[in-house]
C-alpha cells in the first residue's frame, strides 16, 4: 500500500463527507421507499452505483483489476449485507431516524461478540463492559413491554446484527482486497441478488423520485470511500469517534425534516451505546493503525 502522511485535518474532511452522505441517504432512502418498494430502490442503487464507480474502477486497473481470489467471501458477505441493508431501509420508514441510527450503532458490539467465535479474538473485561453498556442502551430505547417490541425497532436491531456479520467477512477481505474491489463486488453481487425480488415488485418510477434515487446511489456508493480515505490519514481511535456525531445529527435532521420528537429514552440509550463503543475502541485498538484499511460496511 502507498504510504500516506498522517493528517487529522484531512481525516476530518473525509469524515465530513461520510457524515454528509449518511445523513443524506437516511432522508433520500426514506423518501424513495415511501413511494416504491425497498427491493426496487436497492436494485436501482446497484445499477446506478456501477456507473458511478466506473471511473474508480478504471483508475484501479479496469475490470481486470477487479478479479478476486475469494469470490465466496464476497458472495457470503454481500448476501448478509443485502438483507441488513433491506432491513435498514424498511426500518427508517417505521420508526424515528434517531432510533434507527442509535440501534445501528450496536453493530460494533455484535461484531465484538461474533469475532470471539469466528476470528478467535479474546473477550476481555473491557469488551464485556462495552457489550453490557450497549445491551442496556438498546433495552432503554426499545423498552419492551407486554405488547412486545415495535416491528421497526426489531428490524433495525436485526439489521445491525447483519451489518456486524458483514464486518467479519470484510475483516478477512481487506487482507487481500482493495476498497474499490470490495465496493465493486458489493454492487455486482447485490445487483444479481436483488434482480428477481425487484422485478416482482417493480412499478413505474414517478419523475419526482429520480432525484432521491440518485442521491441514494451516490451516497450509498461513495460514503464508504470517504470512510476508507479517512482511515488512511488517521488512527481508528480518531476516525471512529467522529462517526458518533451521526447520532445527534440524525436526530436533528429528523426533527427539522420530519418534526420527529426526541424522547429522553432514546437520548439515554444512545449515550450508553456510544459509551460502550468508545470504551471498546480505546481499550481494544492496536497502538498504531496509520495504514488501517476500511473494515465497515453499510
Amino acid at each position: 500500500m502507498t504510504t500516506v502522511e498522517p493528517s487529522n485535518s484531512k481525516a476530518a474532511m473525509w469524515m465530513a463527507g461520510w457524515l454528509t452522505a449518511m445523513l443524506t441517504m437516511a432522508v433520500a432512502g426514506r423518501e424513495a421507499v415511501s413511494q416504491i418498494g425497498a427491493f426496487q430502490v436497492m436494485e436501482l442503487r446497484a445499477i446506478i452505483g456501477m456507473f458511478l464507480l466506473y471511473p474508480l474502477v478504471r483508475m484501479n486497473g479496469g475490470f481486470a483489476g477487479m478479479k478476486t481470489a475469494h469470490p465466496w467471501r464476497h458472495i457470503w458477505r454481500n448476501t448478509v449485507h443485502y438483507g441488513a441493508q433491506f432491513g435498514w431501509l424498511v426500518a427508517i420508514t417505521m420508526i424515528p431516524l434517531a432510533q434507527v441510527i442509535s440501534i445501528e450503532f450496536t453493530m460494533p458490539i455484535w461484531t465484538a461478540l461474533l469475532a470471539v467465535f469466528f476470528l478467535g479474538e479474546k473477550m476481555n473485561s473491557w469488551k464485556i463492559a462495552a457489550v453490557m453498556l450497549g445491551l442496556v442502551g438498546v433495552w432503554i430505547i426499545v423498552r419492551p413491554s407486554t405488547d412486545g417490541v415495535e416491528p421497526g425497532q426489531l428490524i433495525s436491531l436485526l439489521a445491525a446484527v447483519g451489518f456486524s456479520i458483514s464486518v467479519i467477512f470484510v475483516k478477512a477481505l481487506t487482507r487481500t482486497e482493495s476498497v474499490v474491489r470490495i465496493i465493486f463486488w458489493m454492487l455486482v453481487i447485490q445487483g444479481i441478488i436483488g434482480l428477481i425480488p425487484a422485478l416482482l415488485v417493480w412499478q413505474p418510477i414517478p419523475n419526482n423520485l429520480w432525484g432521491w434515487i440518485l442521491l441514494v446511489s451516490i451516497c450509498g456508493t461513495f460514503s464508504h470511500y470517504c470512510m476508507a480515505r479517512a482511515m488512511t490519514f488517521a488512527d481508528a481511535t480518531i476516525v471512529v469517534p467522529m462517526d458518533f456525531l451521526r447520532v445527534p445529527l440524525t436526530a436533528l435532521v429528523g426533527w427539522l425534516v420530519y418534526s420527529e420528537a426526541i424522547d429522553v429514552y432514546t437520548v439515554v440509550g444512545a449515550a450508553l451505546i456510544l459509551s460502550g463503543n468508545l470504551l471498546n475502541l480505546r481499550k481494544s485498538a492496536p497502538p498504531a493503525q496509520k495504514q488501517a484499511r476500511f473494515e465497515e460496511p453499510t
Side-chain angles (χ1 to χ4, degrees):
M1 293 181 65
T2 303
T3 301
V4 177
E5 187 69 24
S7 172
N8 289 349
S9 61
K10 290 182 179 179
M13 179 192 70
W14 283 106
M15 282 305 294
W18 159 268
L19 289 168
T20 301
M22 294 304 292
L23 292 171
T24 302
M25 191 166 72
V27 174
R30 174 178 278 190
E31 293 298 323
V33 176
S34 68
Q35 297 187 53
I36 61 176
F39 285 126
Q40 187 172 351
V41 171
M42 292 176 66
E43 187 65 19
L44 289 168
R45 172 201 169 182
I47 294 172
I48 297 173
M50 282 300 299
F51 288 98
L52 295 172
L53 189 68
Y54 183 68
L56 288 177
V57 172
R58 284 285 302 272
M59 292 170 58
N60 286 268
F63 291 118
M66 298 299 105
K67 291 182 180 179
T68 177
H70 306 285
W72 281 106
R73 290 183 184 178
H74 285 282
I75 291 171
W76 285 115
R77 180 253 163 168
N78 283 292
T79 299
V80 175
H81 185 263
Y82 182 89
Q85 188 70 65
F86 176 81
W88 186 86
L89 279 172
V90 172
I92 61 175
T93 67
M94 301 175 70
I95 58 176
L97 292 178
Q99 283 194 20
V100 174
I101 302 304
S102 296
I103 294 173
E104 179 190 340
F105 267 87
T106 62
M107 184 188 71
I109 295 169
W110 307 124
T111 302
L113 286 172
L114 291 168
V116 173
F117 297 100
F118 294 102
L119 299 179
E121 296 184 5
K122 302 297 183 182
M123 179 62 77
N124 57 35
S125 58
W126 293 108
K127 288 185 178 182
I128 293 173
V131 170
M132 294 305 297
L133 281 172
L135 293 177
V136 172
V138 171
W139 186 86
I140 290 174
I141 293 174
V142 174
R143 301 187 305 282
S145 63
T146 54
D147 296 329
V149 178
E150 288 188 35
Q153 294 173 332
L154 181 59
I155 292 171
S156 183
L157 186 59
L158 290 173
V161 175
F163 285 136
S164 68
I165 295 172
S166 178
V167 166
I168 299 298
F169 283 107
V170 174
K171 279 180 178 288
L173 285 170
T174 52
R175 296 167 186 162
T176 58
E177 310 284 56
S178 68
V179 174
V180 174
R181 190 182 299 163
I182 290 173
I183 297 175
F184 172 82
W185 285 110
M186 177 188 76
L187 294 172
V188 170
I189 294 170
Q190 293 192 20
I192 295 172
I193 291 173
L195 180 59
I196 293 178
L199 290 176
L200 291 174
V201 299
W202 199 273
Q203 56 183 297
I205 302 170
N207 291 332
N208 67 326
L209 201 61
W210 278 108
W212 294 118
I213 292 172
L214 187 59
L215 281 174
V216 169
S217 301
I218 293 172
C219 295
T221 301
F222 292 114
S223 58
H224 305 298
Y225 186 78
C226 290
M227 172 70 85
R229 293 293 295 163
M231 286 286 192
T232 66
F233 287 109
D235 289 350
T237 51
I238 294 174
V239 172
V240 175
M242 296 181 193
D243 190 30
F244 294 167
L245 289 171
R246 190 151 49 102
V247 175
L249 289 176
T250 301
L252 179 62
V253 168
W255 176 66
L256 290 173
V257 179
Y258 298 108
S259 300
E260 294 178 348
I262 307 170
D263 60 40
V264 66
Y265 297 103
T266 300
V267 173
V268 173
L272 288 173
I273 292 170
L274 297 186
S275 296
N277 284 338
L278 273 174
L279 187 64
N280 184 50
L281 184 68
R282 294 191 181 279
K283 297 300 180 180
S284 303
Q289 296 179 337
K290 289 292 189 290
Q291 300 305 319
R293 301 181 74 177
F294 181 54
E295 295 184 354
E296 181 178 345
T298 298

